[in-house]
Amino acid sequence: MKYPFNKPFLTGKEKDYIIQAVETGKISGDGKFTKLCHEFFEERYGFKKAMLTTSCTDALEMSAILLDFKPGEEVIIPSFTFVSTANAFAIRGIKIVFADSESAGPNIDVSKIEELITPATKAIAIVHYAGIACDMEPLMKLTEKHGLHLIEDAAHSIDSFHKNKPLGTFGSLSAFSFHETKNVISGEGGMLVLNNPGLVNRAEIIREKGTNRSAFFRGEVDKYNWVDIGSSFLPSDIIAAFLYAQLENLDMIQKRRISIWEQYYESLNGLAGDGFFTLPVIPEYAMNNGHMFYMICRSLTERQELIEYLKKNDILPTFHYQSLHKSPYFKDKHDGRELPNSDLFSERLLRLPLYYELSDDGVSFISSKIKEFFYARK
Ligand SMILES: *Cc1c(COP(=O)(O)O)cnc(C)c1O
């Protein structure tokens, strides 16, 4: 394909930093580059504590462990999300209650959450879809009113804000992803952000196989022991070295991705105005961080026809999540409520190629093929 859906971008420094990491003679976790990455995030976004993990999935699993769910306690999650948001809880036997999306976009419909809260509800896990912030003011009121924890699946949300507050700073815990399809990458990789200082010590232990090894290396205890449950959630410093090269170029990456997004928006807005499809809505409290450009087609059939048409023109668009409440794994566990907006986005949302090296000409070409497809239907 001339225009793949995604193409990992290398800033050029990755190999240098990996060699540097290797030459330190210590390539396991929490080495020099891991520390640099942690400092970068804590300084830039005011995260209380950042911890690199092997993936966003792992950061979400750590969150589920850290919140200490008792048997029977529940978590509310949007149905329109990646499996990891839900799996992190399912794997620990925690009951999942799926919520619907807004009609204007895939984010969780905050106005419909309260009716799902029961005495057993312990937490709400949200996703800022496409890096566009959820409606945080009513959501924070709701979590305070009911004493619930908030977890942000911030996999799409690097360098995005709600008003002036960075995404990832709202939840007790937030999870980011550096998978190669995200804005800044390390192949596989993720990060847990802790905004509640009371959870930091235990998070260190869980991340280090349930041992107090981190405290031991700081000289705080004289031997290290098995003190809690845990797993191996920390990445090698080689991964962190790759990531640090990306972080140093974050502003450049963001600028280009946002520019591509805006070019798509401008080219396609006219046709959207004619009712052929809908474009993303960015509420006044949110912003666009250039993670993803999507359009909502009029039907599943039309989306499929458009995909075929674009593929014939060497362009690879993709659709996205399938409602989790209807998934083969969960459908028998779901309580039967209809979640129509989630289903609508499953059937009609289409994502266009968006990667750093996509040229202005590329964006024009892709937009022109979309126009051609719809003009033929006028
Ligand atoms: C990519 C993604 C994940 C998983 O990230 P990994 O780092 O691959 O584990 C989780 N949630 C959402 C919303 C994602 O887009």
Side-chain angles (χ1 to χ4, degrees):
M1 285 279 167
K2 177 139 189 247
Y3 298 106
F5 174 66
N6 180 55
K7 186 167 174 229
F9 171 61
L10 300 184
T11 67
K13 280 285 211 150
E14 287 82 357
K15 283 186 201 158
D16 290 353
Y17 288 171
I18 286 172
I19 290 166
Q20 279 185 40
V22 170
E23 284 175 349
T24 62
K26 189 194 174 293
I27 54 175
S28 58
D30 282 335
K32 170 184 154 183
F33 284 101
T34 307
K35 291 196 179 81
L36 286 170
C37 292
H38 290 171
E39 279 164 21
F40 177 91
F41 284 111
E42 288 164 11
E43 278 166 24
R44 183 165 171 132
Y45 301 113
F47 298 152
K48 292 274 187 312
K49 184 82 189 157
M51 290 184 189
L52 293 193
T53 55
T54 35
S55 64
C56 177
T57 302
D58 276 351
L60 291 163
E61 279 184 37
M62 282 183 71
S63 306
I65 298 174
L66 274 163
L67 293 185
D68 243 343
F69 282 76
K70 304 282 177 297
E73 287 186 324
E74 301 170 0
V75 61
I76 296 171
I77 300 177
S79 180
F80 191 78
T81 181
F82 189 58
V83 285
S84 292
T85 326
N87 238 336
F89 298 93
I91 207 171
R92 304 199 53 73
I94 296 162
K95 185 174 167 201
I96 294 166
V97 176
F98 280 118
D100 205 3
S101 299
E102 299 173 341
S103 54
N107 280 344
I108 193 165
D109 186 345
V110 176
S111 72
K112 300 230 179 80
I113 294 179
E114 194 158 30
E115 61 203 50
L116 304 177
I117 296 175
T118 72
T121 308
K122 173 131 195 167
I124 304 174
I126 59 163
V127 182
H128 306 288
Y129 188 82
I132 300 168
C134 291
D135 194 359
M136 297 313 293
E137 279 167 15
L139 183 60
M140 296 313 282
K141 280 200 193 117
L142 205 61
T143 55
E144 274 157 37
K145 179 174 164 197
H146 294 274
L148 304 177
H149 280 283
L150 178 71
I151 299 157
E152 292 175 78
D153 178 339
H156 303 175
S157 312
I158 191 159
D159 210 48
S160 194
F161 295 78
H162 175 283
K163 297 188 174 168
N164 290 320
K165 193 167 152 58
L167 301 189
T169 59
F170 288 89
S172 330
L173 298 157
S174 304
F176 285 84
S177 175
F178 309 118
H179 183 263
E180 74 167 27
T181 51
K182 308 301 201 277
N183 291 26
V184 293
I185 61 174
S186 59
E188 303 280 353
M191 172 170 69
L192 179 67
V193 169
L194 298 106
N195 297 306
N196 177 344
L199 296 173
V200 172
N201 276 345
R202 193 160 175 246
E204 270 185 1
I205 290 166
I206 290 166
R207 182 166 167 268
E208 273 278 23
K209 300 101 184 162
T211 72
N212 54 357
R213 181 159 140 168
S214 302
F216 175 72
F217 281 129
R218 287 195 300 265
E220 292 163 16
V221 291
D222 60 4
K223 45 175 113 49
Y224 88 78
N225 249 313
W226 185 15
V227 295
D228 202 333
I229 60 166
S231 191
S232 188
F233 288 125
L234 75 173
S236 150
D237 214 46
I238 297 175
I239 301 274
F242 191 110
L243 181 63
Y244 193 63
Q246 298 261 316
L247 295 179
E248 283 187 328
N249 292 286
L250 177 63
D251 289 324
M252 179 184 88
I253 293 170
Q254 290 299 97
K255 191 163 170 248
R256 179 64 198 150
R257 293 186 68 108
I258 290 170
S259 156
I260 293 170
W261 194 101
E262 287 171 349
Q263 286 174 61
Y264 272 133
Y265 194 91
E266 272 159 40
S267 319
L268 298 174
N269 202 19
L271 271 179
D274 293 338
F276 287 101
F277 46 79
T278 1
L279 292 182
V281 179
I282 316 261
E284 38 64 49
Y285 54 72
M287 60 167 273
N288 155 43
N289 74 339
H291 175 56
M292 179 198 306
F293 191 86
Y294 68 81
M295 46 195 275
I296 312 292
C297 299
R298 289 181 295 196
S299 69
L300 177 63
T301 321
E302 195 164 59
R303 179 177 76 175
Q304 197 48 41
E305 288 161 358
L306 177 57
I307 291 175
E308 294 308 324
Y309 187 78
L310 294 177
K311 277 187 183 165
K312 272 191 217 122
N313 286 285
D314 242 1
I315 300 162
L316 187 63
T318 67
F319 52 87
H320 213 189
Y321 309 130
Q322 298 302 297
S323 289
L324 292 178
H325 70 287
K326 290 190 167 169
S327 61
Y329 175 71
F330 201 84
K331 64 176 188 291
D332 298 338
K333 302 172 182 68
H334 182 61
D335 54 29
R337 279 172 301 117
E338 296 284 337
L339 303 175
N341 294 330
S342 175
D343 293 344
L344 184 147
F345 296 121
S346 300
E347 290 187 355
R348 302 203 214 152
L349 187 143
L350 187 70
R351 302 190 294 161
L352 301 182
L354 200 173
Y355 48 90
Y356 184 90
E357 287 167 81
L358 181 58
S359 64
D360 291 355
D361 286 348
V363 182
S364 310
F365 178 76
I366 295 167
S367 306
S368 72
K369 291 294 155 188
I370 294 172
K371 288 181 190 166
E372 227 171 71
F373 174 85
F374 285 104
Y375 284 145
R377 311 194 152 212
K378 268 200 168 171

